Amino acid sequence: MTGPKVVIIGAGVVGAALADELTGRGWDDVTVVDQGDLPAPGGSTSHAPGLVFQASSSKTLTDLARYTVEKFCSLEAEAGPCFLQVGGLEVATTPERVVELHRRHGWLTAWGVESRLLDAAETAAMYPLLDPEVVLAGLHTPTDGLAKAVNAVDAQTRRAASRGARLLPRHEVLDVTVEDGTVTGVITDQGEIPADIVVCCAGIWGPVIAAKVGLQLPLTPLAHQLAWTSPVPALAGAAKEATLPILRHQDQDLYYRERFDTLGIGYYGHRPMPIRAEDIARLDDSAVMPSVLEFTEGDFEQAWKQTQMLLPSTRDATVEEGINGLFSFTTDNMPLIGESPDVSGFWVAEAVWVTHSAGVGRAVAELLVDGYCSSFDLHECDLNRFEEHQISPEYVLTRDCQNFVEVYDILHPLQPTGAPRPIRTSPFYERQRALGGEFLEASGWERPQWYAANAGLVDGRDIPAPNDWAARYWSPIVAAEAQATRESVAMYDMTALKRLEVTGPGAARFLNGLVTANVDKSVGSVTYCLLLDVDGGIRSDITVARLAVDRFQIGANGNADLDWLTRHLPDDGSAQVRDITSGTCCIGLWGPRARDLIQPLTDTDFSHEALKYFRATPAFVGTVPVTAMRLSYVGELGWELYTTADHGQRLWDLLWEAGQQYGIIAAGRGAFSSLRLEKGYRSYGADMTAEHDPYEAGLGFAVKLDKGDFVGRDALLARKDEVTRRLTCLTLPDPGSVVLGKEPVYAGDSCVGYVTSAAYGYTIGRGIAYAWLPSELTEVGTEVEIGYFDERVRAVVTAEPLFDPAMSRLRS
């Protein structure tokens, strides 16, 4: 046998895909266990309606779906094909949905999937069952279609078995054995199976399996209604299972698929119907299968009414049968992929719908075999991305139910989560509320986007008003706060930034083996650097401040960074890492008058000579002990001032009172984002991900190849001279033009890239967009266009940074 002993728990479409992908890479000691029969073991796969729409605001989800489509099209099971590529059609019956279809068309184009916008007549012609008087527009994606999920399970498990995999249906998993923090096997009702690696692909039962190794999986099974009609007259005589495109009517939370002369109707408009994974019926106790609950006809009444309005031919049919089928939901609508933080060798591939299943199978196989994923960026799917409160049962249930309600809603990219809020508040929260803070949410923290108290600053300023979509979660106060920061001084609440502490005699050596720059420098040094994966892709960008010989403070991007550092800790205990975010807070004090404000409050010398750019020092501001780091992500003189939470409000009050004579303001995230882009500062997760290397992202300055070995260095040596694309600064010449991010970029009629971050630059008086473009289109002065809803917005490649390229304001 080749490779480690792998046991996959769950033989649904994800487990089948993983078995196929692993054996295809030469690992043949693979066992797939399931409590049910193959190829329809009784989970979500077995009743899934199979509609595959590739459109998503997440590039990762579209990439996973595209691979799934391509793979399923290549598979054939004994019972027939695994994919019916009939295309997908999304329809709009309201003006708001028409606008949304333009946005979705932009996503598909940006991510490389062909689609076309249709007018009302074209839409009705493509799907003759539609009432042409109801439909306003459509979006057609020709490569969408119907996945035959059970056939896909059969084809993939049979192929895996032909390569040596062992399939064990009717094996109920009773436990997962662990010794010294490492998985050793799986106990079933028919005996124990030794394992070096266990992968939980149990779908709606995932929380039950994960709990056997002490892992709390933030997943909720929710029932979703699927009904089948009696024969529909307009489909009479249909010889094929499906010829019309799969159809979505998102204005009413509905979707449709053919089954010869009948229609399947899926509905998300009913009340959320969650069930605990522990309460799902046992296989032999369920009437149909464990994932199928009794159809509640009353919940479907509105769906049938709206169906008859949209598809008049259904008025001569009836609802013949239906189910309430269980599917997995998560708090951010993304899959759960990764290894347990506590039990080595226990992996999960959970909350994966048929749409993304083969892609996830490939991704997990690459992680296991190669140690990294080269095909997809998985940072949005990382199992260990969650803050602690985000895995609490109350939070998981509340958010998962709300996500069910919103599954087809038109959501703005800045739209904050609903209940439960507020969850985390900084020590400045009451002061911010008193100033009329307009709060959005970041990692559970209430974070002001702007302050109503600054409304007076708008008077007399020429502030261009953005269009309807860009104007949501925006105020002209954002512009005034940005301009006031450039002119005087402002306080920014930076508490939501993840803060980690690395300590121990081996801390410097440990960090230097992970980051791209040298952090083994003098006490007080602050270093901007990157965390890379083995292939040189960017996992995160961080700042590392050396506060003592054996103590470092890291400004990180999230909990996945903590997990990455923890996994790489030395076995000898010479370094430790802990999250200090909750017990600390931070104010960014920035602007040309920042030094005038702070110097009288402290005995520490805050002059440029004493505390240079990218240096840190302990100090007292009044009675408040702080760590002052001379950093600025807004491009102005100033410091990040860190203190413990108990001193936070006092720090705010001292700075606020002392700043009155300089016209101090509190400024929000809206202004911060604009100022950040004027300086060209990157944002991980938006501007660059694991798909990109430092040289492409314009971060080569943060890589010191001569400092010694670090994770990803060998890959960078091969990649640094092969840059074929670049993260590029674009400005929008037309006054008032602004885009949001994730739009396609065109050269002529061809899509050549996509926008990452965007904002209006109030200092430079132009819209700003950063975009990934082919290297040959990144010369300064090159003109391109950005597809913004139904418009083409002119954009010009511009040298960066746009503001203060000499860095004189930061270094004053």
Side-chain angles (χ1 to χ4, degrees), residues 589-611:
L589 182 71
W590 294 312
R593 305 305 301 270
R595 184 177 286 121
D596 297 333
L597 186 160
I598 198 169
Q599 190 61 77
L601 300 178
T602 180
D603 292 334
T604 300
D605 188 351
F606 272 62
S607 68
H608 175 66
E609 294 72 23
L611 186 56

Side-chain angles (χ1 to χ4, degrees), residues 190 220 354 571 576 684 793:
Q190 298 188 45
T220 303
V354 172
D571 293 334
Q576 301 83 40
Y684 181 76
V793 177

Side-chain angles (χ1 to χ4, degrees), residues 621-639:
V621 176
T623 61
V624 178
V626 302
T627 297
M629 297 187 195
R630 191 169 170 194
L631 311 175
S632 175
Y633 278 84
V634 303
E636 294 292 339
L637 169 68
W639 301 267

Side-chain angles (χ1 to χ4, degrees), residues 769-786:
Y770 272 76
W772 282 101
L773 295 178
S775 296
E776 61 269 21
L777 293 177
T778 59
E779 184 177 344
V780 171
T782 302
E783 294 197 12
V784 293
E785 291 182 311
I786 298 173

Side-chain angles (χ1 to χ4, degrees), residues 320-549:
E320 196 162 79
E321 58 179 309
I323 64 170
N324 288 5
L326 295 176
F327 290 100
S328 301
F329 281 78
T330 61
T331 58
D332 57 5
N333 291 316
M334 296 299 292
L336 306 171
I337 299 173
E339 187 178 18
S340 162
D342 301 314
V343 178
S344 177
F346 184 85
W347 289 72
V348 304
E350 286 288 340
V352 181
W353 291 9
V354 172
T355 299
H356 312 108
S357 58
V360 169
R362 176 172 182 153
V364 176
E366 289 179 354
L367 288 170
L368 294 177
V369 176
D370 304 326
Y372 62 92
C373 179
S374 60
S375 297
F376 312 99
D377 165 46
L378 297 178
H379 84 273
E380 294 177 299
C381 309
D382 194 319
L383 169 67
N384 299 296
R385 65 189 181 268
F386 300 102
E387 297 295 318
E388 192 169 6
H389 72 273
Q390 292 172 328
I391 60 173
S392 68
E394 178 185 351
Y395 183 90
V396 171
L397 179 61
T398 301
R399 288 305 313 148
D400 290 356
C401 288
Q402 186 61 30
N403 286 341
F404 178 91
V405 170
E406 295 176 349
V407 71
Y408 280 167
D409 286 2
I410 299 171
L411 302 176
H412 191 276
L414 290 179
Q415 186 165 327
T417 58
R421 282 182 67 193
I423 294 177
R424 308 173 85 179
T425 57
S426 78
F428 323 129
Y429 182 60
E430 292 304 323
R431 300 293 188 261
Q432 294 166 339
R433 290 184 64 193
L435 292 171
E438 183 70 26
F439 293 92
L440 301 186
E441 184 259 358
S443 301
W445 293 97
E446 295 296 312
R447 185 169 66 186
Q449 191 73 357
W450 68 83
Y451 293 87
N454 294 327
L457 297 175
V458 175
D459 298 341
R461 296 183 186 267
D462 183 16
I463 299 172
N467 61 48
D468 177 58
W469 255 81
R472 301 180 190 184
Y473 305 100
W474 178 88
S475 164
I477 297 172
V478 169
E481 290 177 355
Q483 292 171 333
T485 304
R486 294 271 188 245
E487 296 164 359
S488 54
V489 63
M491 296 197 307
Y492 288 80
D493 183 0
M494 302 296 289
T495 302
L497 175 73
K498 172 72 79 173
R499 291 174 292 285
L500 309 176
E501 185 179 73
V502 178
T503 57
R509 183 173 62 253
F510 160 65
L511 287 171
N512 255 358
L514 287 178
V515 303
T516 57
N518 179 27
V519 299
D520 192 3
K521 298 186 291 191
S522 62
V523 172
S525 63
V526 182
T527 307
Y528 175 80
C529 50
L530 308 171
L531 296 173
L532 304 181
D533 219 324
V534 177
D535 66 341
I538 302 171
R539 288 192 62 94
S540 189
D541 65 332
I542 62 175
T543 54
V544 180
R546 189 169 203 170
L547 304 182
V549 172

